Amino acid sequence: MQTDGSTTRPPRSPGAASSTLLYARPGIVVTGERFTVGRNSWPVAEITQLWTTRGPHDRLALRAVAVSAALIGGVGVLLGFTGGLQRLTAAAYLTLGAVGLLPLLLVLIADRWRPPSYELWGRLRGTEVLLFSSDNERQFGQVTRALQRAREGARHGGWAPPAAEAWRPDR
């Protein structure tokens, strides 16, 4: 139990539906009835739609790309107005072309260094809500699948306990 009143474990009750634990990690709990992330908790039955998307790109990387593209464009415009483009050698043109690819290289590096987060959105009572966000693809997939299983269970009348006897063919 944490001191702020939030828990990382689902509430225990004698009913089968609420005790069906589908996913539990610190701060994230998915049961047959509730989806809890941090201090936010939603009833699974009220989540009517789910969709996934990627979050925004890193702001620092976008700024670096914008600044480098502006500087390269400024140098090109400056060379064009001063007549310096006619005096450049072939090696200078190749260098300008390589430097022109710098923003693209920055985008590729930034997406590897700090990729956009994975986001799980849902519709609750007619409102779009960001339910969960993670930069860990594996954890995101596990939480998404657990919530989908919980929604399927809620749609089909809850989680039933397993049958006491195994089926046997007639002989």
Side-chain angles (χ1 to χ4, degrees):
M1 186 76 72
Q2 297 174 349
T3 58
D4 63 356
S6 65
T7 62
T8 57
R9 295 179 185 220
R12 299 286 181 193
S13 67
S18 63
S19 64
T20 302
L21 181 63
L22 299 171
Y23 184 85
R25 293 290 181 268
I28 308 164
V29 177
V30 182
T31 66
E33 288 182 344
R34 298 203 68 78
F35 177 51
T36 304
V37 177
R39 293 183 179 188
N40 299 322
S41 184
W42 302 278
V44 170
E46 291 184 12
I47 301 172
T48 57
Q49 281 183 302
L50 284 179
W51 67 92
T52 60
T53 185
R54 296 297 297 263
H57 293 277
D58 185 47
R59 289 184 299 190
L60 179 62
L62 291 176
R63 288 179 184 153
V65 169
V67 167
S68 66
L71 286 174
I72 292 168
V75 168
V77 168
L78 185 62
L79 284 174
F81 279 131
T82 60
L85 289 175
Q86 289 87 14
R87 291 176 282 185
L88 294 179
T89 63
Y93 275 111
L94 288 175
T95 304
L96 282 175
V99 170
L101 294 176
L102 182 65
L104 177 64
L105 182 65
L106 284 173
V107 166
L108 294 174
I109 290 172
D111 272 351
R112 292 293 248 165
W113 181 46
R114 295 187 66 174
S117 63
Y118 297 91
E119 295 180 344
L120 177 63
W121 289 80
R123 187 173 297 276
L124 278 98
R125 298 178 214 108
T127 306
E128 294 180 0
V129 177
L130 176 61
L131 300 171
F132 178 66
S133 177
S134 176
D135 57 354
N136 184 336
E137 184 178 10
R138 183 171 183 240
Q139 179 188 37
F140 179 79
Q142 291 172 347
V143 170
T144 302
R145 284 188 299 278
L147 185 56
Q148 288 171 342
R149 286 193 309 269
R151 286 185 62 228
E152 288 171 6
R155 192 173 347 152
H156 296 298
W159 294 89
E165 246 180 77
W167 176 81
R168 295 181 189 203
D170 293 332
R171 292 187 192 214

